Amino acid sequence: MHLIVNGTPTEIPDSVKSITDLLQELGLAEKLVAVEVNKVLIPQTRHSDYILSDCDQVEAVTFVGGG
């Protein structure tokens, strides 16, 4: 599957179906991440059941604490 992830065209394995799968593939599964798909914010409660489609534009933003 072809996705645009954070502005970069990315080839994703066919085993990746949901946002949760994608976050695992990107190594972000253990982090607090806000995800937009095609400019729509997807709540974390829907990450596991939101099915991605070819050519979706995904923005994944992690939160960084600091002072």
Side-chain angles (χ1 to χ4, degrees):
M1 174 170 25
H2 295 74
L3 300 176
I4 306 296
V5 179
N6 293 341
T8 303
T10 307
E11 182 69 26
I12 300 297
D14 290 335
S15 61
V16 173
K17 303 292 184 200
S18 69
I19 292 173
T20 298
D21 296 340
L22 178 62
L23 294 177
Q24 288 174 347
E25 179 72 20
L26 298 174
L28 299 173
E30 302 300 320
K31 297 184 179 189
L32 185 58
V33 181
V35 178
E36 277 187 357
V37 179
N38 302 322
K39 300 187 179 191
V40 175
L41 182 64
I42 308 301
Q44 187 176 7
T45 56
R46 294 212 37 234
H47 286 186
S48 63
D49 64 5
Y50 189 99
I51 303 303
L52 296 165
S53 298
D54 198 43
C55 298
D56 276 346
Q57 294 184 11
V58 180
E59 295 292 326
V61 180
T62 60
F63 295 93
V64 177

